[in-house]
Amino acid sequence: MLAGGNAYAKGPSYSVTQSRVVEDGGTGAYKCVMQEVSGLEAHTVFMPKDLSKFGKDNPLPVLVWGNGACSNSPWEHYLFLNEIASQGYLVIATGYFPKDDTPYHGDMSTPAQQVESIDWAVKQNADKKSPLYKKVNTKAICAAGMSCGGLQTLYNCADKRITTYMICNSGLFIDPKAAIPNMPMPGKDQLKSVHGPIIYILGGETDIAYQNGMDDFRRIKDVPAVAVNYPVGHGGTYSKPHGGEFSVPAIAWLNWQLKGDAEAAKTFKGENCGLLQRKDWTLDKNELVDR
């Protein structure tokens, strides 16, 4: 369904070249829209339709996302990303606007596109002509991605603008020879550049990234680190309605790390944390999480 009549879509800073309302705008308090915007080629933006609710006292935190298989479109993840945006986030995904759920076939994405997403969010917040002017929390940025997108995130992890990380069905390769061609392949030493809290959301032992992700998790000692597993394998639940079960820890993590939500923190903190009250989830964390 195409969206129309959005005031911010007519902003002079950029124009919306395509838009689509996904799953009635998500289940969150801020109904959102998926957009392709001018001046940000090979990216897809998800944001609340009514930006009047955001400003100095309630700025939009940012999620920048890299796709699985180094795809240059979030066609596999847009339900998940839309649901996150509906909770009051500006989500910028690497890659071209998904078209009718058709699989993307084209050039692979690059880690640089995730940095471009951060650059764009910062620029829009500072641009008086932008509908996002002074509505973005540029001090609350999560870099995230699935599979190859998780590797792209870790490739970019030293960027000091990043507040927190969300690595989904991914982890740096224990054996680099197992990677596909052109996939970013930093060594495990790259984890030393992770400078904020990090969560790994994995699909259990049948997830081909399970060993790599859990090995990453066990190596991270200097920042709070969580690894959660839900037994669905490498594909996750992104294509389920509203992103499925993976949306639960993802939104809770973002609300905790980027909005300071103490209730969301209980999803992970404590011996009987909230996520473990949900069927089939397991959770590991380092000692810094409960401090």
Side-chain angles (χ1 to χ4, degrees):
M1 183 171 75
L2 292 179
N6 299 319
Y8 64 83
K10 301 175 183 177
S13 178
Y14 63 82
S15 60
V16 176
T17 51
Q18 292 189 73
S19 67
R20 179 180 170 192
V21 173
V22 176
E23 293 190 313
D24 295 323
T27 68
Y30 308 99
K31 298 302 182 183
C32 64
V33 64
M34 179 173 70
Q35 300 177 324
E36 174 188 82
V37 301
S38 62
L40 187 63
E41 185 179 0
H43 291 79
T44 302
V45 179
F46 304 76
M47 70 170 89
K49 290 189 280 186
D50 183 3
L51 291 177
S52 69
K53 299 178 183 293
F54 301 95
K56 180 180 178 181
D57 295 330
N58 185 31
L60 286 161
V62 180
L63 175 75
V64 296
W65 176 264
N67 307 301
C70 306
S71 175
N72 209 9
S73 171
W75 68 276
E76 288 188 287
H77 309 114
Y78 75 94
L79 298 182
F80 173 77
L81 299 175
N82 183 77
E83 183 63 21
I84 291 172
S86 78
Q87 310 298 319
Y89 289 89
L90 173 62
V91 177
I92 310 164
T94 290
Y96 294 100
F97 190 86
K99 295 183 178 179
D100 301 324
D101 303 338
T102 303
Y104 173 82
H105 299 290
D107 293 340
M108 294 172 70
S109 62
T110 68
Q113 287 169 268
Q114 196 175 50
V115 177
E116 290 168 3
S117 295
I118 298 176
D119 292 343
W120 186 82
V122 171
K123 179 180 178 181
Q124 294 304 315
N125 188 60
D127 186 349
K128 292 181 179 180
K129 295 181 179 180
S130 173
L132 287 166
Y133 177 57
K134 290 188 176 180
K135 295 180 182 292
V136 181
N137 189 347
T138 59
K139 303 297 183 184
I141 297 175
C142 178
M146 184 265 179
S147 195
C148 173
L151 297 178
Q152 292 175 339
T153 298
L154 291 168
Y155 182 92
N156 292 323
C157 69
D159 192 315
K160 294 302 183 185
R161 297 173 296 180
I162 297 170
T163 307
T164 188
Y165 310 85
M166 187 165 68
I167 310 300
C168 302
N169 308 99
S170 189
L172 297 175
F173 277 72
I174 298 170
D175 177 10
K177 296 191 294 293
I180 65 174
N182 300 316
M183 184 180 285
M185 193 48 56
K188 292 287 185 176
D189 282 350
Q190 183 75 355
L191 296 173
K192 295 176 182 177
S193 295
V194 171
H195 55 267
I198 185 168
I199 186 171
Y200 286 77
I201 304 177
L202 304 168
E205 294 185 9
T206 61
D207 185 342
I208 59 172
Y210 174 81
Q211 296 293 344
N212 293 333
M214 292 303 294
D215 181 72
D216 278 10
F217 161 74
R218 286 188 286 266
R219 291 170 184 259
I220 297 169
K221 308 294 185 184
D222 297 331
V223 299
V226 173
V228 298
N229 274 275
Y230 188 70
V232 289
H234 192 59
T237 67
Y238 309 99
S239 62
K240 301 291 185 182
H242 309 294
E245 194 67 17
F246 270 35
S247 294
V248 175
I251 291 168
W253 182 262
L254 295 171
N255 286 347
W256 178 23
Q257 298 299 328
L258 300 185
K259 296 185 177 183
D261 186 333
E263 195 63 31
K266 295 177 183 178
T267 305
F268 309 100
K269 297 186 74 169
E271 186 174 339
N272 297 308
C273 59
L275 192 66
L276 294 180
Q277 309 311 308
R278 299 183 70 88
K279 189 175 186 297
D280 293 333
W281 281 101
T282 61
L283 182 147
D284 295 275
K285 54 189 171 181
N286 68 13
E287 62 182 12
L288 299 179
V289 173
D290 286 331
R291 286 187 181 176

